[in-house]
Amino acid sequence: MSVDPAADPDLVGRMRLGDESALEALYARYGGLVYTLALRIVGDPELAREVVQDTFLRSWDGRETYDARRGRVPWWLMGIARNRAIDLLRSRSHQARMRERTAPLPEIPTTLPRDPVDAVVSRRAVLDALRELSEGQRRAIELAYYGGLTQTEIANELGEPLGTIKSRTREALERLRKVLGPLIQAAGGRTS
Amino acid sequence: MIDSSEHVVDDLAAYALGSLETGEHARVDEHVAGCPSCASRLAEYRGLAGALPLALAPISPPSDLWDAIRSEARRQRLRPRMRSAMGTRWFRAAPWIAAAVVATWLVTWNVRLQSELTRYTQGPQVEKLARRPARLVILTGAAGSQASARVFAAVDGQSGHMAITGLARLPAGRVYQLWFLPKAGPALTAATFTVDADGRAWVVIRVPADLDDTRGLIVTEEAAPGSPAPTGPPLLEARQWR
């Protein structure tokens, strides 16, 4: 039995037919990225493991609901993983949550790991785009995405007006969109 | 028709990042359902949010994690679904057949991983190129094509590199060719290449013209070993970059 190098939507199509090897192929492609994201959010290898497991089980359960018009398969998986990780984060003790909130922002790595070239190139593009954000913009989107804080919570955390946080978040994504938009679209994220 | 004043632009970013207050989701959902422009923007924002983890230094998952997922999937969910989708024939098979399939999957899994690592890990060369100051150009495929390429043109020299995905494998005697289209003068060749069975390639290129003096980058299909000028239609194209 071979694992076909099929395109992501094809894998989901095979999953819909009950083909377990397609789920395995999906894990082979994105398991590492999901684990990296989960570990960044929950900060605990055992919890990250739980997140990855839940993510792929949910992707199997939710394979009928995946809608390619809403974005690429990896973005779908990242959404599942992020939400599950945030759920776990929120279920932890207040002290643990505060440690997460005050954890230093992820450092931009100075050495790139040895991994698939496309991932290296994509990482470089995203890192470059993030560097173009102001510190305030970067912090706002990281507290939102990795910290799981609502806009109101971010405003309280940073001592800034809610309106400022909302506009700063939008400006950050707009800036990223201008830089990374072609990358997202090239990767199949067209919306229509 | 939705009045532009009703757009929920400020909330779309927070929504995509999962940072909107719980009670505000319904309002945004309702608006997006009837507003194509906001729906389109939200999809883009979701794509950006999904791309954020790419910036993280990758960490390998535990080696036994897939086994755990597979076991749990079969225990909880896969078995009834598989039975429903495929009938009971597979599950009536003797246990040793199932064990053989599992073993095959494991071997395939390991071979696949090893293959990926061997194919794409080019060690110091990749890392060195990826760290150099460079400008990024993203080439996209013609309408309906999922092909794309990313060119990194080093700002400190005449070389760069390009990652390509989604191109069809070519027959013998044919190659893909990357061209720089100067604002003045004929197209300049930057690389010729073929793609692997997955439609991917990693190519070190020469940068024949400054990007500021270039109006476009294209990839065409040509006769091997390459043409002095493009003869085919652009299969990948970029007309603007930063």
Side-chain angles (χ1 to χ4, degrees):
Chain A
M1 183 179 297
S2 64
V3 178
D4 297 330
D8 289 341
D10 294 339
L11 289 180
V12 177
R14 283 167 46 195
M15 285 166 61
R16 286 174 176 155
L17 294 174
D19 183 349
E20 183 181 318
S21 72
L23 179 65
E24 180 184 8
L26 201 67
Y27 178 82
R29 286 184 190 179
Y30 300 116
L33 189 58
V34 171
Y35 183 74
T36 300
L37 169 63
L39 193 58
R40 169 63 183 86
I41 293 176
V42 300
D44 179 289
E46 277 306 307
L47 287 177
R49 183 187 174 94
E50 186 179 331
V51 169
V52 176
Q53 182 161 318
D54 280 359
T55 298
F56 284 93
L57 291 176
R58 288 180 186 203
S59 75
W60 179 268
D61 280 348
R63 61 196 186 276
E64 303 291 350
T65 62
Y66 168 68
D67 183 353
R69 291 170 302 181
R70 297 184 66 185
R72 288 183 65 198
V73 170
W75 309 158
W76 173 57
L77 286 175
M78 292 307 114
I80 297 172
R82 187 262 177 194
N83 291 340
R84 179 61 183 138
I86 294 299
D87 286 346
L88 277 178
L89 193 61
R90 285 183 169 151
S91 68
R92 297 167 72 185
S93 69
H94 177 71
Q95 287 76 12
R97 288 193 63 198
M98 289 308 293
R99 279 200 299 277
E100 289 294 337
R101 289 187 189 188
T102 55
L105 295 175
E107 293 183 2
I108 293 175
T110 54
T111 58
L112 293 168
R114 304 172 82 180
D115 67 347
V117 167
D118 198 48
V120 172
V121 174
S122 297
R123 185 175 315 118
R124 168 65 184 269
V126 178
L127 286 171
D128 283 353
L130 288 173
R131 283 195 184 98
E132 293 201 9
L133 301 182
S134 70
E135 181 60 29
Q137 289 173 332
R138 192 163 161 241
R139 188 154 176 75
I141 63 170
E142 290 187 339
L143 283 171
Y145 190 74
Y146 295 122
L149 302 189
T150 67
Q151 298 286 279
T152 302
E153 289 171 327
I154 295 171
N156 293 336
E157 183 83 13
L158 301 180
E160 305 253 24
L162 177 59
T164 300
I165 297 302
K166 282 192 172 187
S167 56
R168 188 178 291 168
T169 304
R170 178 175 58 81
E171 288 162 6
L173 282 199
E174 271 302 301
R175 217 160 162 178
L176 291 178
R177 188 174 72 89
K178 287 187 172 66
V179 179
L180 296 175
L183 177 71
I184 302 299
Q185 291 182 346
R190 294 179 179 90
T191 56
S192 62
Chain B
M1 190 72 177
I2 294 175
D3 188 313
S4 62
S5 65
E6 298 171 356
H7 289 311
V8 289
V9 175
D10 267 353
D11 289 328
L12 293 177
Y15 191 107
L17 290 168
S19 179
L20 205 59
E21 313 300 328
T22 305
E24 296 179 349
H25 287 167
R27 180 172 56 82
V28 175
D29 282 337
E30 186 179 353
H31 174 83
V32 167
C35 179
S37 68
C38 282
S40 174
R41 185 57 51 89
L42 178 59
E44 286 183 288
Y45 284 170
R46 279 182 167 139
L48 290 167
L52 289 176
L54 292 175
L56 299 173
I59 301 167
S60 298
S63 57
D64 64 339
L65 185 48
W66 168 248
D67 289 341
I69 292 171
R70 181 177 51 209
S71 298
E72 185 65 15
R74 287 179 176 173
R75 190 180 71 79
Q76 290 187 3
R77 300 179 176 90
L78 287 180
R79 189 166 305 205
R81 288 180 181 278
M82 293 284 281
R83 184 180 294 122
S84 171
M86 303 173 66
T88 56
R89 176 170 47 87
W90 195 90
F91 288 93
R92 282 202 302 267
W96 64 266
I97 295 180
V101 170
V102 169
T104 305
W105 268 328
L106 280 173
V107 169
T108 304
W109 164 250
N110 287 330
V111 169
R112 168 83 176 172
L113 274 185
Q114 193 57 46
S115 166
E116 290 280 325
L117 290 172
T118 303
R119 177 147 43 95
Y120 292 120
T121 301
Q122 301 182 31
Q125 183 192 30
V126 171
E127 295 181 19
K128 184 180 174 186
L129 285 169
R131 283 204 303 273
R132 288 168 62 189
R135 293 174 70 180
L136 171 66
V137 180
I138 297 171
L139 290 82
T140 55
S145 167
Q146 292 294 312
S148 68
R150 287 140 225 183
V151 167
F152 277 84
V155 298
D156 57 352
Q158 298 296 306
S159 65
H161 52 114
M162 174 169 64
I164 305 106
T165 60
L167 283 178
R169 202 162 191 191
L170 292 175
R174 305 292 294 175
V175 294
Y176 291 111
Q177 194 160 358
L178 172 67
W179 304 91
F180 277 54
L181 307 178
K183 289 178 179 172
L188 302 170
T189 185
T192 58
F193 60 94
T194 56
V195 297
D196 64 14
D198 291 351
R200 306 177 67 150
W202 163 258
V203 186
V204 176
I205 67 169
R206 78 183 190 94
V207 179
D210 191 312
L211 283 173
D212 290 333
D213 298 324
T214 302
R215 60 185 168 84
L217 268 63
I218 60 171
V219 169
T220 60
E221 181 187 330
E222 305 291 343
S227 302
T231 61
L235 303 173
L236 292 167
E237 188 172 20
R239 295 291 176 181
Q240 57 183 350
W241 46 83
R242 297 173 63 84

